[in-house]
Amino acid sequence: MSFVEIDIFGVYVAPIVPMMLLALVATLCLRRVAVAVGLFRWIWHPALFEFSVYLILLTALVLAVGALKLPI
C-alpha cells in the first residue's frame, strides 16, 4: 500500500481525508435507513453503534483502496 498526498490548489491533503468523508456519507445514509426501518429501537447504545459502523466502513474503504492500488 502506498498512499500519496493529494494536491488541492497547492494544499497537500492526507489521502485518508477523502476516504473519511466517503465513509461519513455512507454512514449517514445507513443511519437514515436504520432509523426508517426502526433498527435503533433494538440497539443499546446508538452513538457507539454509529461510530462502530463508521470505523468498519472506513477500514473497509482503506483496505479496498490499498488492495486496488488506486492513485489516492
Side-chain angles (χ1 to χ4, degrees):
M1 268 189 253
S2 75
F3 296 106
V4 295
E5 286 104 8
I6 302 167
D7 184 15
I8 300 177
F9 301 113
V11 177
Y12 287 109
V13 178
I16 190 94
V17 173
M19 290 184 263
M20 289 172 67
L21 293 175
L22 187 59
L24 179 65
V25 169
T27 302
L28 293 175
C29 292
L30 287 175
R31 182 184 190 279
R32 291 187 71 131
V33 170
V35 168
V37 171
L39 181 66
F40 280 127
R41 290 180 300 167
W42 301 102
I43 295 174
W44 171 68
H45 201 295
L48 184 61
F49 178 76
E50 285 183 46
F51 182 66
S52 300
V53 169
Y54 173 74
L55 285 181
I56 290 168
L57 289 174
L58 181 60
T59 303
L61 187 60
V62 168
L63 290 175
V65 169
L68 294 176
K69 306 271 195 232
L70 295 176
I72 289 185

